[in-house]
Amino acid sequence: MSQLFTPINLGPVTLPNRIIIAPMCQYSAIDGQATEWHTIHLGQLAFSGAGLLIVEATAVEPEGRISPNDLGLWDDKTEQALATTIQAVKKYSTMPLAIQLAHAGRKASMPAPWQPGPAVTPEHGGWQPVAPSAIPYDNNSAQPLELTTERIESIIASFAHSAKRADKLGFDVIEVHAAHGYLLHEFLSPISNHRQDMYGGSLDNRMRLTLAVFSAIRKVFPAHKSVGVRISASDWVENGWDLAQSLELCHQLKKLGCDYIHVSSGGLSAQQHIPVSPNYQVPFARRIKEEVGMPTIAVGLITEPEQAEAIVATGEADMVALARGILYNPRWPWHAAAELGAQVSAPKQYWRSQPHRIKNLFLPD
């Protein structure tokens, strides 16, 4: 029996299988508002048969967007625009839905990746980025303003307000984005955090914002729904954020009721040296699973069904996440189920696509 296609509980939320669609920025919003692109994009992924669909990094305030075209959830307009998309998706799919709430910090106000270049200036629709310390990410990035403690408190409140809106929209899960060099990760890493106050210096101080954001969200998001965190387990830079610190963060998050950890890496420093290869981040997920005892999602160059099955079956991680791979092949879970002798949910309109050589591939949606 395929372990990849067995159910798993993320706290109070049960997923039908262990295939997760990772959050992937689309750079297709207008003033933070979802567009028809999001309905088409998320709609096709919701037919994939995966266990959970995580909506892209969604900014909790306008200054928290990575680019001027990023998705947001900070006011009635952004909420209503996303409601149109989510209502359409939920009408035709029973797949559990998550949303990743985020703030880009010093990596904000950048152009879309297919239009590379320097930071977008206020004259061209950009804004002034903020960060724990006034240290830019790289030469293309703007000089960020160091956040005051009062401004930090307002960002914590913004995460909580967006979480309330996510609940109203019907999301089952919230994922806190504390990875890839964005604001929460910037506070965690000693490379980007040179503060001398209660949010800098010691590990406890550098973890303070991430733990506060998680607590604020958990307080307002209903108990029958789940909250997890995505982290970069390592900066891949000497004297940066690393696995040992990640383990301590995960222990603290577990005490606060965190339901899962989504384990990625990198993105904090342009000086990173990442040994990219299949499964290169899986050892991080394995250590966190073993030492913290929290459900973990492994991600990064997991492309083949047997590869994903082995990760779950051997206990290296509880779930696997797909990003670029499922963009390239939006029916990846169907093909994995066929290869592994499992079943997957699919809309009845598609049942006749089942190959004749395979019996009972599709479950009712």
Side-chain angles (χ1 to χ4, degrees):
M1 178 179 178
S2 168
Q3 294 302 302
L4 187 63
F5 286 90
T6 57
I8 185 169
N9 295 326
L10 300 184
V13 175
T14 300
L15 308 186
N17 61 60
R18 282 112 184 294
I19 302 169
I20 311 300
I21 301 177
M24 293 172 280
C25 292
Q26 296 298 294
Y27 306 97
S28 299
I30 299 173
D31 296 327
Q33 298 169 45
T35 64
E36 291 87 349
W37 172 263
H38 294 91
T39 303
I40 295 169
H41 166 66
L42 295 172
Q44 66 170 332
L45 293 178
F47 292 157
S48 70
L52 180 68
L53 169 55
I54 308 177
V55 173
E56 67 190 84
T58 303
V60 299
E61 57 182 40
E63 296 80 11
R65 292 172 293 167
I66 302 167
S67 82
N69 301 114
D70 271 27
L71 193 62
L73 185 57
W74 61 71
D75 62 8
D76 291 345
K77 288 184 178 180
T78 52
E79 180 183 330
Q80 183 54 54
L82 190 54
T84 300
T85 289
I86 297 306
Q87 288 165 8
V89 171
K90 290 175 77 71
K91 183 176 181 179
Y92 295 105
S93 172
T94 60
M95 183 182 294
L97 299 179
I99 187 169
Q100 186 186 70
L101 296 182
H103 193 296
R106 68 179 185 173
K107 295 178 78 174
S109 196
M110 297 298 294
W114 52 80
Q115 296 174 326
V120 181
T121 64
E123 294 76 19
H124 293 89
W127 56 91
Q128 172 62 59
V130 296
S133 302
I135 306 169
Y137 171 71
D138 60 16
N139 292 333
N140 278 329
S141 303
Q143 180 84 16
L145 288 179
E146 181 172 316
L147 287 163
T148 64
T149 54
E150 292 78 14
R151 185 72 178 88
I152 291 170
E153 292 299 318
S154 74
I155 290 174
I156 295 171
S158 292
F159 272 96
H161 291 318
S162 293
K164 292 179 182 179
R165 294 182 184 276
D167 176 41
K168 288 169 59 181
L169 289 170
F171 283 101
D172 306 289
V173 179
I174 286 176
E175 181 170 282
V176 179
H177 198 355
H180 300 161
Y182 299 121
L183 186 66
L184 301 188
H185 185 187
E186 291 164 19
F187 272 85
L188 292 171
S189 177
I191 293 174
S192 48
N193 185 346
H194 293 184
R195 299 176 72 94
Q196 301 298 315
D197 63 0
M198 62 187 293
Y199 289 102
S202 69
L203 177 58
D204 285 343
N205 283 356
R206 286 182 281 114
M207 294 191 300
R208 190 181 305 275
L209 179 57
T210 298
L211 298 177
V213 165
F214 177 88
S215 295
I217 290 174
R218 185 68 280 181
K219 183 177 180 180
V220 301
F221 202 55
H224 67 278
K225 298 185 176 186
S226 301
V227 182
V229 179
R230 194 179 208 189
I231 67 168
S232 282
S234 172
D235 289 339
W236 299 105
V237 179
E238 188 175 359
N239 298 319
W241 183 255
D242 58 19
L243 179 58
Q245 295 171 92
S246 294
L247 287 166
E248 181 57 29
L249 174 64
C250 292
H251 279 297
Q252 296 302 317
L253 286 167
K254 184 179 181 180
K255 291 178 183 178
L256 295 175
C258 185
D259 292 307
Y260 72 90
I261 296 291
H262 192 167
V263 189
S264 189
S265 70
L268 187 282
S269 171
Q271 305 304 313
Q272 65 188 17
H273 294 285
I274 304 178
V276 176
S277 63
N279 288 13
Y280 73 101
Q281 294 175 152
V282 172
F284 294 138
R286 182 178 64 245
R287 283 285 302 278
I288 291 170
K289 174 180 166 64
E290 291 173 349
E291 298 190 25
V292 183
M294 196 187 308
T296 56
I297 302 172
V299 66
L301 285 185
I302 299 169
T303 59
E304 305 303 321
E306 290 288 356
Q307 176 192 13
E309 175 73 16
I311 291 168
V312 173
T314 59
E316 291 188 286
D318 297 287
M319 296 155 280
V320 296
L322 304 176
R324 293 175 177 87
I326 206 162
L327 289 182
Y328 185 73
N329 179 6
R331 301 290 183 262
W332 192 96
W334 293 15
H335 303 153
E339 184 171 327
L340 299 171
Q343 291 181 296
V344 67
S345 294
K348 55 184 176 293
Q349 293 93 332
Y350 291 171
W351 288 357
R352 66 182 182 273
S353 70
Q354 176 174 286
H356 294 300
R357 62 182 175 81
I358 301 171
K359 295 182 179 180
N360 301 320
L361 173 62
F362 295 143
L363 293 166
D365 62 347

